[in-house]
Amino acid sequence: MGKDDLILSARPPFSLSSVVKSHGWASLAPFSTDSHTDGLTYIYRLDSGHVVEMLIQEASDGVSIEVDGQLNEVECEEVTRKVEYMLGLDQDFNDFYRLASGEPKLANVEERAQGRLLRCPTLFEDVVKTILTTNTMWAGTIRMVEKLVSQFGDPLSADPTRHAFPTAEQLAATDEDALRSTVRLGYRAPYVLELARDVASSTFDLESLKTVDIPTIQLRKRLLSIKGVGGYAAANLLMILGRYDFVPIDTWALKMVSHEWHGGGQVGQAEVEAAFERWGEWKGLAYWFWDWSYVGED
DNA sequence: GGTAGACCTGGACGC
DNA sequence: GCGTCCAGGTCTACC
């Protein structure tokens, strides 16, 4: 495989920019955005162990992928499969757009091709990152993920200062003290370690949850069985998995709903759920892309 | 089923 | 430079 020779098409409407801006994942290692090329880069560890940098850019009907170095046919197929999943190229939001067309607060979702949420190549990486978003500021999440990647991920051969996200096996081989003292995970360290060990030992087939054909409520229960994953984290992960039946309720959600419908007064989970109940299986997306009136001080 | 308190880190602030 | 307070979800124990 040479440069610029992978072109993937997406189900329209599609906007790479919308996927990149869909949530904060693009600013967490080993993702990065490139202002010069307006593209998304990701340092990816192939199944073979070979670490490459992928540059993903908008193309006419989808995206182009440029990979540093030569890939064989099997590796090209792997990169194609992963990028299709990460960007949700085949995801269909037409039912959501039809519902949203009557709601002024969601008036632009179709025009902006909003709906897809950027995903990591493995659910393991998405779960670890989600755990690292809980009970901390966003700057703390960025810092923890960066340290986790630089300490335990395999280096990019072209630039050994940059690394891929560590595999479950690599994290399973470390210990709680290292995760606490080096990565500063605090009380999250045993959660990440337990998950890594369960996945590495095949005690927990986490990746199968990407495609498992079970009701959302059951999928949520499986996610909640992971230590460190509570209601907010499970709803966030369900969104990543393309299930939008739950709203990820954090302090920001409470604040937004409070100002949108309750005059800034105190609200709880029940009020947030009630506010989006009418959106049914799309309530997570309706919440996510809602055009909030309150901009606040943060 | 609901609730209180502990868990950690880093930033802000006062002294 | 040091101490204190605070923000951020989840877990566990208890009622």
Side-chain angles (χ1 to χ4, degrees):
Chain A
M1 176 181 173
K3 286 182 178 287
D4 286 332
D5 56 356
L6 257 184
I7 302 286
L8 307 185
S9 59
R11 182 192 295 269
F14 173 79
S15 159
L16 177 61
S17 171
S18 284
V19 183
V20 169
K21 292 173 185 166
S22 59
H23 58 149
W25 261 208
S27 54
L28 294 181
F31 279 112
S32 60
T33 50
D34 186 331
S35 56
H36 298 297
T37 60
D38 206 25
L40 175 70
T41 66
Y42 183 81
I43 299 175
Y44 178 62
R45 183 187 189 277
L46 290 149
D47 289 343
S48 64
H50 182 198
V51 178
V52 295
E53 180 174 24
M54 305 190 295
L55 169 60
I56 303 165
Q57 292 176 283
E58 187 112 31
S60 58
D61 299 315
V63 295
S64 67
I65 311 167
E66 185 180 318
V67 179
D68 63 325
Q70 296 290 313
L71 299 185
N72 61 36
E73 200 172 319
V74 173
E75 290 171 330
C76 274
E77 174 60 26
E78 182 184 343
V79 166
T80 298
R81 252 185 306 115
K82 290 295 182 184
V83 173
E84 282 174 347
Y85 172 76
M86 291 162 73
L87 302 181
L89 296 183
D90 194 41
Q91 285 185 291
D92 183 352
F93 298 98
N94 282 318
D95 287 346
F96 173 57
Y97 294 152
R98 267 192 291 277
L99 269 179
S101 64
E103 171 53 64
K105 291 286 190 173
L106 294 169
N108 297 315
V109 287
E110 183 171 10
E111 180 190 334
R112 293 175 181 164
Q114 289 173 317
R116 296 175 175 87
L117 300 183
L118 182 62
R119 307 191 265 215
C120 299
T122 65
L123 186 54
F124 173 69
E125 184 177 335
D126 277 323
V127 174
V128 170
K129 285 178 172 174
T130 299
I131 290 173
L132 302 193
T133 66
T134 59
N135 207 26
T136 187
M137 305 291 189
W138 181 242
T141 301
I142 292 175
R143 194 166 37 243
M144 286 186 271
V145 173
E146 175 60 41
K147 285 180 180 165
L148 197 66
V149 167
S150 61
Q151 287 289 320
F152 300 105
D154 283 336
L156 177 67
S157 41
D159 179 1
T161 65
R162 301 166 69 200
H163 300 77
F165 194 84
T167 63
E169 289 75 14
Q170 287 169 325
L171 289 183
T174 185
D175 57 56
E176 193 178 317
D177 283 348
L179 292 175
R180 282 181 184 270
S181 61
T182 312
V183 191
R184 313 293 289 171
L185 293 190
Y187 70 89
R188 302 170 195 82
Y191 301 157
V192 170
L193 192 59
E194 181 179 325
L195 176 66
R197 290 182 174 165
D198 285 349
V199 170
S201 66
S202 299
T203 305
F204 183 21
D205 185 6
L206 182 60
E207 298 308 311
S208 71
L209 300 188
K210 285 175 173 175
T211 53
V212 68
D213 184 19
I214 56 175
T216 304
I217 193 77
Q218 287 181 26
L219 183 53
R220 180 172 182 267
K221 276 186 184 168
R222 294 214 195 164
L223 292 169
L224 288 173
S225 72
I226 300 169
K227 282 274 185 63
V229 173
Y232 160 78
N236 195 59
L237 287 163
L238 285 172
M239 297 262 291
I240 285 172
L241 289 168
R243 313 268 193 132
Y244 313 108
D245 312 56
F246 291 87
V247 175
I249 302 173
D250 56 5
T251 52
W252 189 86
L254 295 173
K255 186 191 293 182
M256 290 300 117
V257 169
S258 163
H259 285 278
E260 191 82 0
W261 291 290
H262 299 274
Q266 192 169 6
V267 301
Q269 292 205 1
E271 284 78 11
V272 178
E273 283 161 9
F276 289 94
E277 191 56 40
R278 70 183 174 102
W279 296 94
E281 63 178 318
W282 298 105
K283 61 172 76 93
L285 280 188
Y287 158 77
W288 204 255
F289 294 108
W290 196 259
D291 182 17
W292 300 101
S293 305
Y294 181 71
V295 287
E297 64 278 356
D298 51 8

